[in-house]
Short mmCIF file of all heavy atoms in Angstrom, two decimals:
data_model
loop_
_atom_site.label_atom_id
_atom_site.label_comp_id
_atom_site.label_asym_id
_atom_site.label_seq_id
_atom_site.Cartn_x
_atom_site.Cartn_y
_atom_site.Cartn_z
N MET A 1 129.14 -73.79 -20.96
CA MET A 1 128.21 -74.19 -22.00
C MET A 1 127.31 -75.33 -21.51
O MET A 1 126.13 -75.35 -21.83
CB MET A 1 129.02 -74.63 -23.23
CG MET A 1 128.17 -74.93 -24.41
SD MET A 1 127.44 -73.43 -25.00
CE MET A 1 126.55 -74.01 -26.38
N TRP A 2 127.89 -76.28 -20.78
CA TRP A 2 127.11 -77.40 -20.27
C TRP A 2 126.04 -76.91 -19.30
O TRP A 2 124.96 -77.47 -19.23
CB TRP A 2 128.02 -78.41 -19.61
CG TRP A 2 127.28 -79.53 -18.95
CD1 TRP A 2 127.22 -79.79 -17.63
CD2 TRP A 2 126.44 -80.50 -19.57
NE1 TRP A 2 126.42 -80.87 -17.39
CE2 TRP A 2 125.92 -81.33 -18.56
CE3 TRP A 2 126.07 -80.75 -20.89
CZ2 TRP A 2 125.06 -82.38 -18.84
CZ3 TRP A 2 125.22 -81.80 -21.15
CH2 TRP A 2 124.72 -82.61 -20.13
N ARG A 3 126.33 -75.84 -18.56
CA ARG A 3 125.37 -75.30 -17.60
C ARG A 3 124.11 -74.80 -18.31
O ARG A 3 122.99 -75.03 -17.86
CB ARG A 3 126.02 -74.18 -16.81
CG ARG A 3 125.14 -73.64 -15.72
CD ARG A 3 125.78 -72.50 -15.00
NE ARG A 3 126.89 -72.99 -14.19
CZ ARG A 3 127.68 -72.21 -13.47
NH1 ARG A 3 127.51 -70.92 -13.47
NH2 ARG A 3 128.65 -72.73 -12.77
N ILE A 4 124.28 -74.16 -19.45
CA ILE A 4 123.12 -73.64 -20.21
C ILE A 4 122.30 -74.81 -20.76
O ILE A 4 121.07 -74.79 -20.69
CB ILE A 4 123.61 -72.73 -21.36
CG1 ILE A 4 124.25 -71.46 -20.79
CG2 ILE A 4 122.45 -72.36 -22.28
CD1 ILE A 4 124.91 -70.60 -21.82
N ILE A 5 122.97 -75.82 -21.30
CA ILE A 5 122.25 -76.98 -21.83
C ILE A 5 121.48 -77.69 -20.73
O ILE A 5 120.34 -78.11 -20.91
CB ILE A 5 123.24 -77.93 -22.54
CG1 ILE A 5 123.82 -77.25 -23.78
CG2 ILE A 5 122.56 -79.23 -22.92
CD1 ILE A 5 124.93 -78.01 -24.43
N LYS A 6 122.10 -77.81 -19.57
CA LYS A 6 121.44 -78.47 -18.44
C LYS A 6 120.19 -77.70 -18.02
O LYS A 6 119.15 -78.29 -17.78
CB LYS A 6 122.42 -78.58 -17.27
CG LYS A 6 121.88 -79.39 -16.12
CD LYS A 6 122.96 -79.70 -15.09
CE LYS A 6 123.46 -78.44 -14.42
NZ LYS A 6 124.34 -78.72 -13.26
N TRP A 7 120.27 -76.38 -17.96
CA TRP A 7 119.10 -75.58 -17.59
C TRP A 7 118.01 -75.65 -18.65
O TRP A 7 116.82 -75.64 -18.34
CB TRP A 7 119.50 -74.13 -17.31
CG TRP A 7 120.07 -73.97 -15.95
CD1 TRP A 7 121.37 -73.80 -15.62
CD2 TRP A 7 119.35 -74.01 -14.72
NE1 TRP A 7 121.50 -73.72 -14.26
CE2 TRP A 7 120.29 -73.84 -13.68
CE3 TRP A 7 118.01 -74.17 -14.38
CZ2 TRP A 7 119.92 -73.83 -12.35
CZ3 TRP A 7 117.65 -74.15 -13.05
CH2 TRP A 7 118.59 -73.99 -12.05
N LEU A 8 118.40 -75.72 -19.93
CA LEU A 8 117.39 -75.86 -20.98
C LEU A 8 116.68 -77.21 -20.89
O LEU A 8 115.48 -77.30 -21.14
CB LEU A 8 118.04 -75.70 -22.36
CG LEU A 8 118.43 -74.27 -22.73
CD1 LEU A 8 119.17 -74.26 -24.07
CD2 LEU A 8 117.22 -73.37 -22.77
N ILE A 9 117.41 -78.25 -20.53
CA ILE A 9 116.78 -79.56 -20.35
C ILE A 9 115.81 -79.53 -19.18
O ILE A 9 114.68 -80.03 -19.27
CB ILE A 9 117.85 -80.66 -20.17
CG1 ILE A 9 118.61 -80.86 -21.47
CG2 ILE A 9 117.22 -81.96 -19.71
CD1 ILE A 9 119.83 -81.74 -21.35
N TYR A 10 116.24 -78.92 -18.07
CA TYR A 10 115.34 -78.78 -16.92
C TYR A 10 114.09 -77.97 -17.27
O TYR A 10 112.99 -78.32 -16.87
CB TYR A 10 116.06 -78.10 -15.75
CG TYR A 10 117.10 -78.94 -15.09
CD1 TYR A 10 118.17 -78.35 -14.44
CD2 TYR A 10 117.05 -80.33 -15.10
CE1 TYR A 10 119.15 -79.11 -13.82
CE2 TYR A 10 118.01 -81.10 -14.48
CZ TYR A 10 119.06 -80.49 -13.85
OH TYR A 10 120.02 -81.23 -13.23
N LEU A 11 114.27 -76.91 -18.04
CA LEU A 11 113.14 -76.08 -18.43
C LEU A 11 112.19 -76.84 -19.34
O LEU A 11 110.97 -76.71 -19.22
CB LEU A 11 113.65 -74.81 -19.12
CG LEU A 11 112.62 -73.76 -19.45
CD1 LEU A 11 111.96 -73.23 -18.18
CD2 LEU A 11 113.25 -72.63 -20.22
N ALA A 12 112.72 -77.65 -20.25
CA ALA A 12 111.87 -78.44 -21.15
C ALA A 12 111.08 -79.48 -20.36
O ALA A 12 109.89 -79.70 -20.63
CB ALA A 12 112.73 -79.12 -22.22
N ILE A 13 111.71 -80.11 -19.38
CA ILE A 13 111.00 -81.09 -18.55
C ILE A 13 109.92 -80.40 -17.73
O ILE A 13 108.79 -80.90 -17.63
CB ILE A 13 112.00 -81.84 -17.64
CG1 ILE A 13 112.89 -82.73 -18.48
CG2 ILE A 13 111.28 -82.65 -16.58
CD1 ILE A 13 114.05 -83.36 -17.73
N LEU A 14 110.22 -79.25 -17.18
CA LEU A 14 109.23 -78.50 -16.40
C LEU A 14 108.06 -78.05 -17.28
O LEU A 14 106.90 -78.13 -16.86
CB LEU A 14 109.89 -77.29 -15.74
CG LEU A 14 109.02 -76.46 -14.82
CD1 LEU A 14 108.57 -77.29 -13.63
CD2 LEU A 14 109.77 -75.24 -14.37
N ALA A 15 108.34 -77.63 -18.51
CA ALA A 15 107.27 -77.22 -19.42
C ALA A 15 106.39 -78.40 -19.80
O ALA A 15 105.16 -78.27 -19.88
CB ALA A 15 107.88 -76.58 -20.67
N ALA A 16 106.99 -79.57 -20.01
CA ALA A 16 106.21 -80.77 -20.34
C ALA A 16 105.31 -81.16 -19.17
O ALA A 16 104.14 -81.49 -19.37
CB ALA A 16 107.14 -81.92 -20.72
N LEU A 17 105.85 -81.10 -17.97
CA LEU A 17 105.03 -81.42 -16.79
C LEU A 17 103.90 -80.41 -16.61
O LEU A 17 102.78 -80.78 -16.23
CB LEU A 17 105.91 -81.47 -15.54
CG LEU A 17 106.87 -82.66 -15.47
CD1 LEU A 17 107.77 -82.52 -14.25
CD2 LEU A 17 106.11 -83.96 -15.43
N ALA A 18 104.17 -79.14 -16.87
CA ALA A 18 103.12 -78.12 -16.75
C ALA A 18 102.03 -78.34 -17.80
O ALA A 18 100.84 -78.18 -17.50
CB ALA A 18 103.73 -76.73 -16.91
N LEU A 19 102.40 -78.74 -19.00
CA LEU A 19 101.41 -79.01 -20.04
C LEU A 19 100.54 -80.21 -19.68
O LEU A 19 99.32 -80.19 -19.87
CB LEU A 19 102.11 -79.24 -21.38
CG LEU A 19 101.20 -79.47 -22.57
CD1 LEU A 19 100.37 -78.22 -22.85
CD2 LEU A 19 102.01 -79.83 -23.79
N ILE A 20 101.16 -81.25 -19.15
CA ILE A 20 100.40 -82.42 -18.72
C ILE A 20 99.46 -82.06 -17.57
O ILE A 20 98.29 -82.47 -17.56
CB ILE A 20 101.36 -83.56 -18.33
CG1 ILE A 20 102.09 -84.07 -19.57
CG2 ILE A 20 100.62 -84.69 -17.63
CD1 ILE A 20 103.24 -85.00 -19.27
N ALA A 21 99.93 -81.28 -16.62
CA ALA A 21 99.09 -80.87 -15.50
C ALA A 21 97.92 -80.02 -15.99
O ALA A 21 96.79 -80.17 -15.51
CB ALA A 21 99.92 -80.10 -14.48
N TYR A 22 98.17 -79.13 -16.95
CA TYR A 22 97.09 -78.30 -17.48
C TYR A 22 96.06 -79.16 -18.21
O TYR A 22 94.85 -78.91 -18.12
CB TYR A 22 97.66 -77.25 -18.43
CG TYR A 22 96.62 -76.38 -19.05
CD1 TYR A 22 95.89 -75.48 -18.28
CD2 TYR A 22 96.34 -76.44 -20.41
CE1 TYR A 22 94.91 -74.67 -18.84
CE2 TYR A 22 95.37 -75.64 -20.98
CZ TYR A 22 94.66 -74.77 -20.20
OH TYR A 22 93.70 -73.98 -20.76
N ALA A 23 96.52 -80.19 -18.92
CA ALA A 23 95.59 -81.06 -19.64
C ALA A 23 94.68 -81.81 -18.67
O ALA A 23 93.50 -82.01 -18.95
CB ALA A 23 96.35 -82.04 -20.51
N TYR A 24 95.21 -82.22 -17.53
CA TYR A 24 94.41 -82.96 -16.56
C TYR A 24 93.59 -82.04 -15.66
O TYR A 24 92.45 -82.36 -15.30
CB TYR A 24 95.29 -83.86 -15.70
CG TYR A 24 95.66 -85.14 -16.38
CD1 TYR A 24 96.95 -85.36 -16.84
CD2 TYR A 24 94.72 -86.14 -16.58
CE1 TYR A 24 97.29 -86.54 -17.47
CE2 TYR A 24 95.05 -87.32 -17.22
CZ TYR A 24 96.33 -87.51 -17.66
OH TYR A 24 96.66 -88.68 -18.29
N LEU A 25 94.15 -80.91 -15.26
CA LEU A 25 93.48 -80.04 -14.29
C LEU A 25 92.72 -78.89 -14.93
O LEU A 25 91.96 -78.21 -14.24
CB LEU A 25 94.51 -79.48 -13.30
CG LEU A 25 95.24 -80.52 -12.46
CD1 LEU A 25 96.30 -79.85 -11.61
CD2 LEU A 25 94.28 -81.31 -11.60
N GLY A 26 92.89 -78.66 -16.22
CA GLY A 26 92.22 -77.55 -16.90
C GLY A 26 90.70 -77.57 -16.79
O GLY A 26 90.10 -76.52 -16.51
N PRO A 27 90.04 -78.71 -16.98
CA PRO A 27 88.58 -78.71 -16.87
C PRO A 27 88.06 -78.33 -15.48
O PRO A 27 86.97 -77.81 -15.35
CB PRO A 27 88.20 -80.16 -17.20
CG PRO A 27 89.30 -80.63 -18.09
CD PRO A 27 90.54 -79.95 -17.57
N PHE A 28 88.85 -78.55 -14.44
CA PHE A 28 88.42 -78.15 -13.10
C PHE A 28 88.45 -76.64 -12.92
O PHE A 28 87.77 -76.09 -12.07
CB PHE A 28 89.31 -78.80 -12.03
CG PHE A 28 89.17 -80.29 -11.97
CD1 PHE A 28 90.23 -81.10 -12.32
CD2 PHE A 28 87.98 -80.88 -11.57
CE1 PHE A 28 90.11 -82.48 -12.27
CE2 PHE A 28 87.85 -82.25 -11.52
CZ PHE A 28 88.92 -83.05 -11.87
N PHE A 29 89.24 -75.95 -13.76
CA PHE A 29 89.37 -74.49 -13.65
C PHE A 29 88.66 -73.76 -14.77
O PHE A 29 88.89 -72.57 -14.98
CB PHE A 29 90.84 -74.10 -13.63
CG PHE A 29 91.58 -74.63 -12.43
CD1 PHE A 29 92.51 -75.63 -12.56
CD2 PHE A 29 91.31 -74.14 -11.16
CE1 PHE A 29 93.18 -76.13 -11.46
CE2 PHE A 29 91.97 -74.63 -10.06
CZ PHE A 29 92.91 -75.63 -10.21
N GLY A 30 87.82 -74.46 -15.54
CA GLY A 30 86.99 -73.80 -16.54
C GLY A 30 87.47 -73.93 -17.97
O GLY A 30 86.84 -73.38 -18.87
N ALA A 31 88.56 -74.59 -18.23
CA ALA A 31 89.01 -74.78 -19.61
C ALA A 31 88.18 -75.89 -20.25
O ALA A 31 87.98 -76.94 -19.67
CB ALA A 31 90.49 -75.14 -19.64
N ASP A 32 87.68 -75.63 -21.45
CA ASP A 32 86.84 -76.60 -22.15
C ASP A 32 87.59 -77.13 -23.36
O ASP A 32 87.86 -76.39 -24.31
CB ASP A 32 85.53 -75.93 -22.58
CG ASP A 32 84.56 -76.91 -23.22
OD1 ASP A 32 84.72 -78.12 -23.01
OD2 ASP A 32 83.64 -76.44 -23.91
N PHE A 33 87.95 -78.40 -23.33
CA PHE A 33 88.72 -79.00 -24.41
C PHE A 33 87.85 -79.81 -25.37
O PHE A 33 88.39 -80.46 -26.26
CB PHE A 33 89.82 -79.91 -23.85
CG PHE A 33 90.80 -79.21 -22.96
CD1 PHE A 33 91.13 -79.73 -21.72
CD2 PHE A 33 91.38 -78.03 -23.35
CE1 PHE A 33 92.03 -79.09 -20.91
CE2 PHE A 33 92.28 -77.39 -22.54
CZ PHE A 33 92.62 -77.91 -21.32
N SER A 34 86.56 -79.79 -25.19
CA SER A 34 85.69 -80.61 -26.04
C SER A 34 85.54 -79.99 -27.42
O SER A 34 85.66 -78.79 -27.61
CB SER A 34 84.32 -80.78 -25.39
OG SER A 34 83.68 -79.53 -25.26
N ALA A 35 85.27 -80.84 -28.39
CA ALA A 35 85.08 -80.38 -29.76
C ALA A 35 83.70 -79.73 -29.90
O ALA A 35 82.77 -80.07 -29.18
CB ALA A 35 85.18 -81.56 -30.71
N PRO A 36 83.55 -78.79 -30.84
CA PRO A 36 82.23 -78.19 -31.07
C PRO A 36 81.25 -79.25 -31.56
O PRO A 36 81.60 -80.16 -32.30
CB PRO A 36 82.47 -77.12 -32.13
CG PRO A 36 83.83 -77.33 -32.65
CD PRO A 36 84.57 -78.21 -31.70
N LEU A 37 79.99 -79.09 -31.18
CA LEU A 37 78.98 -80.10 -31.49
C LEU A 37 78.15 -79.76 -32.72
O LEU A 37 77.13 -80.37 -32.95
CB LEU A 37 78.06 -80.27 -30.28
CG LEU A 37 78.74 -80.75 -29.01
CD1 LEU A 37 77.75 -80.82 -27.86
CD2 LEU A 37 79.38 -82.11 -29.22
N GLN A 38 78.58 -78.79 -33.51
CA GLN A 38 77.85 -78.43 -34.71
C GLN A 38 78.48 -79.10 -35.93
O GLN A 38 79.70 -79.15 -36.05
CB GLN A 38 77.88 -76.91 -34.93
CG GLN A 38 77.17 -76.14 -33.85
CD GLN A 38 77.33 -74.65 -34.08
OE1 GLN A 38 78.21 -74.21 -34.79
NE2 GLN A 38 76.45 -73.87 -33.46
N GLU A 39 77.64 -79.58 -36.81
CA GLU A 39 78.13 -80.16 -38.06
C GLU A 39 78.31 -79.03 -39.07
O GLU A 39 77.42 -78.20 -39.25
CB GLU A 39 77.15 -81.18 -38.59
CG GLU A 39 77.61 -81.86 -39.84
CD GLU A 39 76.64 -82.92 -40.31
OE1 GLU A 39 75.79 -83.35 -39.50
OE2 GLU A 39 76.74 -83.32 -41.48
N ILE A 40 79.43 -79.00 -39.74
CA ILE A 40 79.73 -77.96 -40.71
C ILE A 40 79.86 -78.61 -42.08
O ILE A 40 80.64 -79.54 -42.26
CB ILE A 40 81.03 -77.21 -40.35
CG1 ILE A 40 80.89 -76.56 -39.00
CG2 ILE A 40 81.37 -76.19 -41.43
CD1 ILE A 40 82.17 -75.95 -38.48
N ARG A 41 79.08 -78.12 -43.03
CA ARG A 41 79.15 -78.65 -44.40
C ARG A 41 79.58 -77.52 -45.33
O ARG A 41 78.99 -76.45 -45.33
CB ARG A 41 77.80 -79.19 -44.83
CG ARG A 41 77.39 -80.43 -44.08
CD ARG A 41 76.08 -80.95 -44.58
NE ARG A 41 75.69 -82.13 -43.84
CZ ARG A 41 75.50 -83.31 -44.39
NH1 ARG A 41 75.64 -83.47 -45.68
NH2 ARG A 41 75.16 -84.34 -43.64
N VAL A 42 80.59 -77.80 -46.12
CA VAL A 42 81.10 -76.83 -47.08
C VAL A 42 81.09 -77.49 -48.45
O VAL A 42 81.67 -78.56 -48.63
CB VAL A 42 82.55 -76.42 -46.71
CG1 VAL A 42 83.10 -75.43 -47.72
CG2 VAL A 42 82.59 -75.83 -45.32
N PRO A 43 80.44 -76.85 -49.44
CA PRO A 43 80.42 -77.45 -50.78
C PRO A 43 81.82 -77.39 -51.41
O PRO A 43 82.55 -76.42 -51.26
CB PRO A 43 79.43 -76.59 -51.56
CG PRO A 43 79.36 -75.31 -50.80
CD PRO A 43 79.66 -75.63 -49.37
N VAL A 44 82.18 -78.46 -52.12
CA VAL A 44 83.48 -78.55 -52.77
C VAL A 44 83.28 -78.74 -54.26
O VAL A 44 82.51 -79.60 -54.68
CB VAL A 44 84.28 -79.73 -52.19
CG1 VAL A 44 85.61 -79.88 -52.91
CG2 VAL A 44 84.50 -79.56 -50.70
N ASP A 45 83.97 -77.94 -55.06
CA ASP A 45 83.90 -78.04 -56.52
C ASP A 45 85.05 -78.93 -56.98
O ASP A 45 86.21 -78.57 -56.86
CB ASP A 45 83.98 -76.66 -57.15
CG ASP A 45 83.85 -76.71 -58.65
OD1 ASP A 45 83.29 -77.69 -59.17
OD2 ASP A 45 84.31 -75.76 -59.31
N LEU A 46 84.74 -80.11 -57.52
CA LEU A 46 85.77 -81.05 -57.93
C LEU A 46 86.22 -80.86 -59.37
O LEU A 46 87.22 -81.44 -59.78
CB LEU A 46 85.27 -82.49 -57.75
CG LEU A 46 84.93 -82.88 -56.32
CD1 LEU A 46 84.42 -84.31 -56.27
CD2 LEU A 46 86.15 -82.74 -55.42
N ASN A 47 85.51 -80.03 -60.14
CA ASN A 47 85.88 -79.81 -61.54
C ASN A 47 87.02 -78.81 -61.68
O ASN A 47 87.76 -78.85 -62.65
CB ASN A 47 84.68 -79.33 -62.36
CG ASN A 47 83.65 -80.41 -62.50
OD1 ASN A 47 83.96 -81.60 -62.49
ND2 ASN A 47 82.39 -80.02 -62.60
N GLY A 48 87.16 -77.91 -60.77
CA GLY A 48 88.22 -76.91 -60.84
C GLY A 48 87.92 -75.75 -61.76
O GLY A 48 88.77 -74.93 -62.05
N ARG A 49 86.70 -75.66 -62.28
CA ARG A 49 86.32 -74.56 -63.18
C ARG A 49 85.47 -73.56 -62.41
O ARG A 49 84.81 -73.88 -61.44
CB ARG A 49 85.51 -75.08 -64.34
CG ARG A 49 86.23 -76.08 -65.19
CD ARG A 49 85.36 -76.54 -66.31
NE ARG A 49 85.87 -77.76 -66.88
CZ ARG A 49 85.18 -78.60 -67.60
NH1 ARG A 49 83.92 -78.35 -67.86
NH2 ARG A 49 85.74 -79.69 -68.08
N ASP A 50 85.46 -72.35 -62.90
CA ASP A 50 84.63 -71.30 -62.26
C ASP A 50 83.26 -71.25 -62.86
O ASP A 50 82.93 -71.41 -63.91
CB ASP A 50 85.30 -69.94 -62.37
CG ASP A 50 86.51 -69.88 -61.45
OD1 ASP A 50 86.49 -70.56 -60.42
OD2 ASP A 50 87.44 -69.14 -61.77
#
């Protein structure tokens, strides 16, 4: 049982390192993490009536 838990911990650490590496190296490989530059306006009805 301890062997499975140990491998799951190793896998979680490896996944965290891969996510961090992707966050830093992603823009070099074409991943775009920037927010869209368009302003979006949606009307909101505060009365709750139709």
